[in-house]
Amino acid sequence: MGVTDVVQWAIPILVVAYVVARGFRVDARLIGQWAAGSGLRLTPTTHAMVARYLKWTRRCRVVGGLAGFVGPIAYSMATDNAFPIGNGLVLILAGYLVGALVAEPIQWVGRRLGPALLIPRRLPDYLPSYVSAVQRGLAAVSVGMVGLWALTPYPNQDVPEPKLSTFALYGIAGIGIAVVIELLQRVVVARRQPATGADVVEADDAIRSASVHALAGGGIGLLLIVVASEVAAFTPLGGAAGWSLALLSLFLNFSALFFWLELGKPRGHKVGRVGSGGASA
């Protein structure tokens, strides 16, 4: 095994070791930071709730994201071929979202939830309206770009022109991602809420909001990459337009990373309520 092979194996291993060491760690300091960032005052009962939530969600998301990171590398090393999906962030985000989805039911396994609070819950109570607007807006843009592609002449004869049917897959992907993410967010919001005390309801709201924000971060990241890929397809127009579109595509890819990392942090979002009281069942 040469020096190049050692480096190829060493870098992914170091990255995985570093991410696992940080992502799997759930201690009192982290729990306190999360609670402070979420605007939550911890009690003995809610401390246990938050600890359990962070334990499963962080670990499942880390495992999913790392699977998306390691998968293409292992494929390339095993086959000596490049992975079919060139943007590695796509698989990392997809793995992260799968991990987030898996973590949701796991954290409730074995818990006795008791009576359920019957106060109506809506997605806008847990997710700021601008975030939902960005999710839906990016999906609309991905579809609109397909129409723009159909109307734009492709001047560069040296670069094969992607077929409209192939380009349309981006629009389909954009709509599909947005629909699936919002459905998952609504499932999280609709999950039964324990009615065992004001502190438990407050902690549950903070946890629910954090999960919805994490899904939004991963989903918006994927949608930005879809739109960035569509924009990049127009760069053969050449000249100032081509350079501008290339820079825009690069900016959108960096924005995907930004939204993923930022929306996944506790934001202190205050959950609204349709009514001030409610029954339990």
Side-chain angles (χ1 to χ4, degrees):
M1 180 180 291
V3 175
T4 303
D5 293 329
V6 171
V7 172
Q8 286 179 333
W9 281 102
I11 293 178
I13 290 173
L14 290 174
V15 170
V16 170
Y18 174 79
V19 173
V20 168
R22 290 183 60 84
F24 275 39
R25 178 182 58 85
V26 177
D27 54 20
R29 180 181 178 183
L30 178 66
I31 294 170
Q33 289 175 341
W34 187 93
S38 300
L40 181 65
R41 184 176 60 85
L42 292 175
T43 65
T45 300
T46 57
H47 186 282
M49 285 178 62
V50 171
R52 184 183 179 97
Y53 171 76
L54 291 177
K55 173 184 175 181
W56 285 110
T57 55
R58 281 174 64 87
R59 293 175 182 179
C60 288
R61 292 171 191 170
V62 165
V63 169
L66 285 177
F69 169 72
V70 172
I73 297 174
Y75 175 87
S76 298
M77 290 181 174
T79 64
D80 291 328
N81 295 318
F83 195 77
I85 299 177
N87 192 328
L89 186 56
V90 170
L91 291 180
I92 293 175
L93 287 173
Y96 171 86
L97 287 171
V98 171
L101 179 61
V102 169
E104 282 301 316
I106 288 180
Q107 62 177 305
W108 301 106
V109 171
R111 288 194 58 188
R112 298 182 62 183
L113 298 179
L117 200 66
L118 299 183
I119 293 177
R121 292 182 300 278
R122 309 169 305 159
L123 181 58
D125 297 335
Y126 294 87
L127 191 69
S129 57
Y130 83 89
V131 179
S132 293
V134 170
Q135 286 180 185
R136 298 169 184 174
L138 286 171
V141 169
S142 70
V143 174
M145 292 287 285
V146 178
L148 184 62
W149 177 262
L151 298 174
T152 303
Y154 198 84
N156 194 335
Q157 301 300 322
D158 297 327
V159 179
E161 178 181 357
K163 295 180 180 179
L164 179 60
S165 58
T166 302
F167 197 89
L169 293 176
Y170 288 115
I172 295 172
I175 290 293
I177 291 169
V179 169
V180 169
I181 291 300
E182 184 159 333
L183 284 175
L184 292 175
Q185 289 169 337
R186 292 183 181 278
V187 168
V188 170
V189 169
R191 171 176 50 78
R192 70 191 304 274
Q193 187 168 45
T196 54
D199 59 335
V200 173
V201 172
E202 184 181 6
D204 181 82
D205 278 339
I207 287 171
R208 204 180 299 253
S209 179
S211 293
V212 169
H213 277 76
L215 289 169
I220 289 174
L222 283 176
L223 286 166
L224 283 166
I225 293 173
V226 168
V227 175
S229 300
E230 291 179 309
V231 170
F234 285 88
T235 54
L237 292 174
W243 281 106
S244 298
L245 291 169
L247 290 174
L248 176 59
S249 178
L250 185 63
F251 171 77
L252 291 172
N253 276 290
F254 276 108
S255 297
L257 186 62
F258 171 80
F259 271 94
W260 172 41
L261 296 177
E262 285 300 309
L263 282 177
K265 296 178 181 178
R267 312 305 303 176
H269 177 68
K270 295 300 181 183
V271 175
R273 287 296 184 194
V274 176
S276 57
S280 61

